[in-house]
Amino acid sequence: MSPQLRSFDHSAFPPERVRAEREGTISVCVPARECAETIEPIVRTLIELRDRDVVDQVTVLDAGSIDGTAELAAAAGAEVHQQAELLPDRGPVLGKGDAMWRALTILHGDVVCFLDGDSEGFGPHFACGLAGAVACEPGVHFAKAFYRRPFRAGAVELPEGGGRVNELMARPLLRRFFPELGDVRQPLAGEIAARRELLERLPFATGYAVEIAMLVDAYRAVGIDGLAQVDLDVRQNRHQALSALGPMADAVLGAVAARLEREGRLAGVDVPAAVERPPLATLAGSPGS
């Protein structure tokens, strides 16, 4: 019988268990752009976990926000870095994936957990659930979040309807071309945790492509038995207009097509080249080299 994707509920990893059983140190990084409305409670929650020795590093990676995100995060206790100041010799930062790749140069944990900066109703289970799956469960190298995403439009909130590109593009692509990943509930979730040594071996797609590219690459690196997904219950964040989802869908399709081409499964198909950052471990002088 072939290995199955492991799934956990966040309740399996309360702070007390993570503190007592974790193998290695944990860094939590929150990439943020114009997140002044949500960043303070997120940072305060994470700092509380740090003070309880559940995690070791709390970092906010700011994208030059002009709404005071960086200042609010620093005042709440986070270590704050500007994306553009990391690996400046690599040129301008090309979106979230590029920023996450650069962040590995200042994140020192054995386990690295990336969480989004625009989550409402944030709780400690976001960090504990994901980081705990990697730090406490034998054989798990990469964990991805899934959750229910209500859709909010003005004063109207529907129980579901968020994650439209996830359901209409990402999941069908995986079911068709990477069926072993067909049970991944939210391949485009921005919340992940992974062993640092694995992240340093992966290329990082830039922009919107990073989540699905990282999932496929991690699967190829450690197999389905090295992956897990963690139910974080509900996540409420900003929704983009339908017209803004086209570039995201294009990026997701391009990332999957590039990986199919590398595996010789798109012979004769012209796949536009997308910018990807090389595995950090291959760079001279990098933390992993």
Side-chain angles (χ1 to χ4, degrees):
M1 185 175 179
S2 59
Q4 299 294 310
L5 177 68
R6 282 185 273 184
S7 292
F8 301 96
D9 187 82
H10 67 81
S11 61
F13 306 101
E16 296 77 14
R17 180 188 176 191
V18 179
R19 182 180 61 231
E21 299 181 18
R22 63 185 172 118
E23 294 187 4
T25 54
I26 298 173
S27 292
V28 182
C29 181
V30 183
R33 180 191 298 273
E34 314 299 349
C35 295
E37 294 183 1
T38 52
I39 198 65
E40 281 187 287
I42 290 174
V43 170
R44 284 197 299 267
T45 299
L46 296 174
I47 292 298
E48 189 173 316
L49 291 176
R50 188 195 65 188
D51 292 344
R52 295 171 62 189
D53 295 323
V54 179
V55 304
D56 302 277
Q57 183 183 20
V58 176
T59 299
V60 168
L61 191 63
D62 185 52
S65 301
I66 62 173
D67 66 351
T69 294
E71 293 78 9
L72 291 168
E79 173 187 327
V80 179
H81 294 269
Q82 289 297 323
Q83 297 177 5
E85 295 175 359
L86 304 179
L87 297 178
D89 58 310
R90 291 284 159 167
V93 181
L94 303 176
K96 181 183 177 183
D98 194 4
M100 292 168 66
W101 178 73
R102 296 176 194 232
L104 293 177
T105 63
I106 49 90
L107 298 173
H108 51 66
D110 301 307
V111 174
V112 173
C113 180
F114 287 104
L115 300 173
D116 285 347
D118 63 345
S119 298
E120 299 177 17
F122 186 90
H125 64 288
F126 276 67
C128 292
L130 286 168
V134 178
C136 300
E137 289 292 330
V140 175
H141 297 269
F142 181 93
K144 196 164 190 68
F146 72 96
Y147 31 66
R148 179 172 60 83
R149 284 193 66 190
F151 183 82
R152 182 186 297 165
V156 177
E157 182 174 306
L158 303 177
E160 60 179 29
R164 289 161 287 174
V165 177
N166 184 76
E167 293 298 330
L168 297 176
M169 175 66 76
R171 296 195 73 194
L173 280 172
L174 293 180
R175 286 194 294 265
R176 174 64 178 84
F177 295 109
F178 298 93
E180 302 89 346
L181 299 175
D183 290 333
V184 176
R185 295 278 297 275
Q186 285 180 315
L188 302 186
E191 300 86 358
I192 67 104
R195 286 281 167 188
R196 179 189 177 82
E197 63 85 19
L198 171 61
L199 293 177
E200 290 182 346
R201 290 190 284 127
L202 301 181
F204 273 62
T206 57
Y208 291 127
V210 61
E211 283 93 4
I212 198 164
M214 185 182 293
L215 173 63
V216 172
D217 292 343
Y219 163 64
R220 289 305 192 207
V222 301
I224 196 69
D225 53 346
L227 308 183
Q229 60 182 351
V230 180
D231 187 352
L232 298 184
D233 196 15
V234 176
R235 181 178 186 271
Q236 181 69 66
N237 67 335
R238 295 178 297 215
H239 296 287
Q240 298 193 55
L242 184 62
S243 60
L245 299 182
M248 184 182 296
D250 282 339
V252 169
L253 178 59
V256 172
R259 278 144 185 82
L260 292 173
E261 183 184 44
R262 291 171 196 169
E263 296 178 6
R265 292 200 276 163
L266 275 185
V269 177
D270 183 22
V271 178
V275 176
E276 292 194 2
R277 298 304 189 186
L280 194 68
T282 66
L283 300 184
S286 72
S289 63

